[in-house]
Amino acid sequence: MILRFAIFVALLVSVIEAKNPQFSVEEQWQEFEEFLKWKKAREMHEDNTREIKNEKWHRENHDVYKPFERNQQVPVNDPPPIDQAALMARYIVNQGDWVSVATMSTRKDIESFPVATLVSYADGLLGNGSGIPYLYLTPLDFTAQDLAKDNRASLLFTLAQGEYCKTKRWDPMDPRCARVILTGKVKPLKNESSEYVTAAKAFFQRHPGLVNMPPGKNFSDKWYHLIKSALISKHSVADHRFYFAKLKIISIVVLDTFGGPKYVSVKDYLHLPVPNITEEFNRHFPLESRESESQEDNNPVSNRLNTFVRMV
């Protein structure tokens, strides 16, 4: 390579001397340096053009991995008053997109030790949640493997994952950065049940990036397409046996201010003493209308998942 470069330089100098015998050595060398600068600039331009094309291709072909952009604005104003612990718990659960799930590990290296993982969930649409966290799990993940042996779990939800605590400049450990722990047993939903379809619809509306995750083979094509709600077409992918599960709650602990945790009964949590949960949510923290959804979806309605709340 070096030899070729030396030959190229010698030939270039010879050509320059032949055409311009009056040029000095310094002038010839300066012209050669200018040629090298031009060549380097052209190569950099080609590299930048290639990077732009690659980035554009990546964006166009990897939409499924784009961060979920909410149709509604997450409010940064104050959540429910601290004297309404049940409503506060419902608000925290409804606002989140992911939750920390603690289970008893089945891994051989840490068997029977508590271990926490991150799981995406949904309890319904923003401002219209049921309070019941629905999880989308696969047996390939540690969490599902642990739950298959011992379905007891604790789920930690926090406002630290949104903008509220950041706006207040509160550390995630600050008691005013409200959080809630739901403890209970995680139970799979029955395939092709109405609750399964309702949970899937709510989940994929909150997590469209996970809509391509393949369900189990025992989940029929008919119901698969119904659940997808025409969001995408079905792809031929490996069977990862994804399934929906919910937490059967037995304990609720809220920390939203100084003075220690507050214990909320499951009955008060699931059946708030208000006639309409959506209207109560909107009264405390109004949400902007979603332009992409129908007027019917934007109107305040009763909690759509109350039918299944009674089953918990």
Side-chain angles (χ1 to χ4, degrees):
M1 187 67 181
I2 297 176
L3 178 60
R4 291 180 180 178
F5 184 76
I7 294 173
F8 171 77
V9 172
L11 290 174
L12 182 63
V13 172
S14 299
V15 171
I16 294 173
E17 289 179 348
K19 291 185 177 182
N20 303 284
Q22 71 277 16
F23 282 4
S24 65
V25 175
E26 289 77 8
E27 290 174 331
Q28 295 172 9
W29 184 253
Q30 181 179 0
E31 184 173 345
F32 176 66
E33 285 184 334
E34 291 176 354
F35 166 76
L36 291 180
K37 291 180 180 179
W38 170 83
K39 183 179 179 181
K40 183 177 181 181
R42 189 182 66 174
E43 290 176 348
M44 291 180 63
H45 175 71
E46 291 176 351
D47 291 341
N48 291 336
T49 302
R50 192 179 301 110
E51 289 180 3
I52 292 174
K53 289 182 178 179
N54 290 338
E55 184 178 353
K56 181 179 179 181
W57 179 91
H58 189 275
R59 289 197 306 266
E60 293 175 349
N61 294 275
H62 293 76
D63 286 347
V64 68
Y65 299 109
K66 283 184 178 181
F68 171 45
E69 296 179 1
R70 297 186 176 191
N71 292 326
Q72 294 175 308
Q73 296 295 320
V74 180
V76 295
N77 53 300
D78 292 339
I82 59 176
D83 60 348
Q84 298 186 30
L87 185 61
M88 174 68 81
R90 288 287 293 269
Y91 172 75
I92 299 171
V93 172
N94 181 249
Q95 288 296 293
D97 287 325
W98 53 264
V99 60
S100 177
V101 180
T103 57
M104 303 305 294
S105 178
T106 55
R107 286 167 44 189
K108 292 183 179 180
D109 55 336
I110 55 171
E111 189 171 2
S112 76
F113 278 74
V115 64
T117 55
L118 185 150
V119 177
S120 296
Y121 79 97
D123 80 323
L125 299 178
L126 281 173
N128 189 30
S130 67
I132 302 174
Y134 290 106
L135 313 176
Y136 198 37
L137 305 173
T138 169
L140 301 181
D141 185 64
F142 290 131
T143 303
Q145 294 172 15
D146 297 343
L147 294 172
K149 183 176 181 180
D150 187 341
N151 66 348
R152 294 176 300 170
S154 288
L155 280 62
L156 172 64
F157 308 80
T158 173
L159 292 184
Q161 69 171 275
E163 297 297 323
Y164 175 70
C165 296
K166 295 177 183 178
T167 303
K168 297 288 187 178
R169 296 185 179 180
W170 290 340
D171 188 89
M173 282 189 64
D174 191 311
R176 295 168 295 180
C177 186
R179 49 193 178 272
V180 58
I181 299 176
L182 302 185
T183 301
K185 296 183 178 181
V186 177
K187 295 188 175 183
L189 300 182
K190 293 182 179 180
N191 286 345
E192 302 188 7
S193 66
S194 57
E195 184 176 13
Y196 199 109
V197 174
T198 303
K201 183 178 180 181
F203 183 88
F204 290 132
Q205 284 180 323
R206 296 284 292 267
H207 302 278
L210 298 179
V211 74
N212 273 323
M213 298 300 182
K217 290 180 178 178
N218 60 336
F219 199 65
S220 70
D221 289 346
K222 169 188 172 184
W223 287 80
Y224 181 94
H225 286 292
L226 178 61
I227 282 180
K228 299 308 181 185
S229 301
L231 290 174
I232 61 164
S233 60
K234 184 176 178 181
H235 296 286
S236 297
V237 287
D239 176 26
H240 292 177
R241 293 175 289 162
F242 273 87
Y243 64 93
F244 281 100
K246 69 178 180 181
L247 180 70
K248 185 175 178 62
I249 306 168
I250 63 175
S251 173
I252 303 167
V253 181
V254 177
L255 181 63
D256 58 2
T257 187
F258 298 101
K262 305 169 184 177
Y263 295 87
V264 178
S265 71
V266 177
K267 181 179 179 180
D268 290 344
Y269 174 79
L270 295 178
H271 307 281
L272 295 173
V274 293
N276 189 307
I277 295 175
T278 301
E279 291 178 355
E280 187 68 11
F281 273 11
N282 291 335
R283 185 172 69 86
H284 285 292
F285 26 84
L287 299 174
E288 295 182 8
S289 298
R290 290 161 289 172
E291 297 179 359
S292 61
E293 299 201 4
S294 66
Q295 185 64 32
E296 180 182 354
D297 289 335
N298 287 329
N299 290 334
V301 293
S302 60
N303 189 357
R304 299 172 186 171
L305 303 186
N306 264 343
T307 302
F308 309 115
V309 169
R310 302 188 186 98
M311 300 179 181
V312 177

